[in-house]
Amino acid sequence: MTTIRTARLAGALLAAGAVLLSAAGCSFTSQTFSCDTNSCTVTLDGDGAEVDLPIGPSIRLGGVQDGRASISVGGSSVSCAEGESVSAAGLTLECTSVSGDEVRLTASLS
């Protein structure tokens, strides 16, 4: 009886661990991103789009106006235009494309 209960408990713990590991990577509520060890390439499309990165705090797009993206990074607010780099909350953000209501950027550890 104890062996069966132990096996069930171990199976449940392994399943829960697999769910936690998949959720602990990169979670997102925006469009797309990809990460390597020290940086992530992110596309935020639309006001309020947000991504949680494994290398740092979450990044949220406030909006795009006149070619500048307003971005919140871990509670700090910054803005950037295409080709500009800014730093906030331990990350350097390079805005590689800003158009319409979309921003593409590379987030790297500072």
Side-chain angles (χ1 to χ4, degrees):
M1 188 70 130
T2 303
T3 305
I4 293 172
R5 186 165 38 189
T6 302
R8 286 182 184 164
L9 178 60
L13 288 174
L14 285 173
V19 169
L20 287 175
L21 283 176
S22 66
C26 296
S27 64
F28 61 93
T29 57
S30 67
Q31 293 295 316
T32 60
F33 68 93
S34 62
C35 299
D36 62 22
T37 305
N38 296 317
S39 68
C40 294
T41 302
V42 178
T43 300
L44 297 169
D45 189 5
D47 295 357
E50 184 171 358
V51 63
D52 294 323
L53 301 177
I55 64 167
S58 64
I59 299 174
R60 181 182 177 109
L61 177 61
V64 176
Q65 184 174 4
D66 299 325
R68 294 195 70 80
S70 298
I71 302 168
S72 174
V73 183
S76 299
S77 295
V78 294
S79 70
C80 64
E82 189 170 314
E84 289 183 347
S85 292
V86 294
S87 294
L91 293 177
T92 298
L93 307 176
E94 180 185 352
C95 292
T96 56
S97 172
V98 179
S99 63
D101 63 350
E102 178 181 279
V103 62
R104 291 184 185 157
L105 58 87
T106 301
S108 306
L109 296 173
S110 296

